[in-house]
Amino acid sequence: MKRSSLVPAAAMAIMAGSSALANDPPLIEHQPAQCSVASKPIELCASVLDDGDIAKVRTYFRRPGEKEYLVSEMVFEGARFCTTLPGVKPGKLKSLEYYIQATDTEY
């Protein structure tokens, strides 16, 4: 079974200097998006550390109160994984809920 870690955007603090240990799920470091401009896409990036290879990193997002999440694959861009979420329509939405999930290739 692949291992994964889920990190809510509100709880992203990882101690400085920590490193991934053997057989541990990936560690995600991310600064939550503080605000965005209506109709402008929202860029999210995260650093992901693991003792092996990272299989995939995804962002799950939804409007507050919705039951289902939409998924956006994060792409490795040098030192971190990034994705762009669609902008929200003016006056329709005050916030966006999201979390980041990383999965490694270990069984």
Side-chain angles (χ1 to χ4, degrees), residues 3 5 8 13 20 30 32 53-54 62-63 68 79 82 84 86 88 92 95-96 98:
R3 296 168 300 141
S5 65
H30 166 70
D53 293 328
I54 304 295
R62 67 181 179 187
R63 294 181 192 151
E68 301 294 321
C82 296
T84 302
V88 296
K92 296 282 184 180
S95 65
L96 187 67
Y98 70 91

Side-chain angles (χ1 to χ4, degrees), residues 9 14 25 33 41 43 45 47-48 52 69 72 76 86 91-92 106:
I14 295 179
E43 183 178 15
C45 293
S47 297
V48 181
Y69 282 92
S72 180
F76 186 67
K92 296 282 184 180
E106 297 295 316

Side-chain angles (χ1 to χ4, degrees), residues 36-42 61 63 84-90 93 96:
S36 65
V37 176
S39 300
K40 300 268 182 173
I42 302 165
F61 64 99
R63 294 181 192 151
T84 302
L85 304 182
V88 296
K89 294 180 182 178
L93 185 63
L96 187 67

